[in-house]
Amino acid sequence: MDEREVADRLEITGLLARYTRAIDTGRWEVLSEVFTADAVIDYRAAGGIAGGLEEVRAWLAEVLAHWPGRLHLVGAPVIDFADGEAVVVAPFTDTLSPSREMIGADAKGLCQGGGWYRHRMVRTPSGWRSRELVEEQAWRTLG
């Protein structure tokens, strides 16, 4: 691996962290630092929508308000570079809680799951950005 590839891998890994932090904190404006303006984001596997950045951003703000306690953990991504793009597959687990206070593991509304985030990323003048995200759900529990 040359220095450029190492730097690209570190930047992409940071982008994945910035994505989950934006989702968990509700800082929806940060998603503009993660996705291209023409990005397609697909959450249908998790019961959500597929659409453009602005549509998905509004949907996330509305839906995730029901779960004020949120935590997404992303594992080590597989990153393959080809033709100026990066195909990124990152495993994740998430917990969506109806409260930020302590609740029982069987509490109504507690949702946990996991799967893979599949990104197609491109290098832009502002750095790497995701042009496409498809969430692949592996499992989900709902209290």
Side-chain angles (χ1 to χ4, degrees), residues 13 16 73-78 89-93:
T13 300
L16 295 171
L73 301 174
V74 175
V78 174
V89 180
F92 76 89
T93 60

Side-chain angles (χ1 to χ4, degrees), residues 12-51:
I12 288 168
T13 300
L15 193 71
L16 295 171
R18 195 165 29 259
Y19 165 75
T20 60
R21 182 80 174 138
I23 298 295
D24 291 342
T25 61
R27 293 186 56 222
W28 312 118
E29 71 280 1
V30 173
L31 295 177
S32 293
E33 300 171 18
V34 174
F35 295 98
T36 62
D38 63 346
V40 175
I41 304 164
D42 185 346
Y43 293 124
R44 291 178 295 182
I49 67 168

Side-chain angles (χ1 to χ4, degrees), residues 88-111:
V88 180
V89 180
F92 76 89
T93 60
D94 64 356
T95 299
L96 305 174
S97 176
S99 172
R100 292 185 63 94
E101 303 301 320
M102 186 180 296
I103 60 173
D106 60 348
K108 183 173 175 52
L110 182 64
C111 183

Side-chain angles (χ1 to χ4, degrees), residues 5-7 9 17 23 27 42 50 54 56 62 78 83 85 87 89 94 101 112 116 122 141:
E5 184 175 344
V6 171
R9 288 177 182 279
I23 298 295
R27 293 186 56 222
D42 185 346
E54 295 308 319
V56 169
E62 179 183 337
V78 174
D83 301 323
E85 292 189 348
V87 175
V89 180
D94 64 356
E101 303 301 320
Q112 296 177 303
W116 296 270
V122 294
T141 61

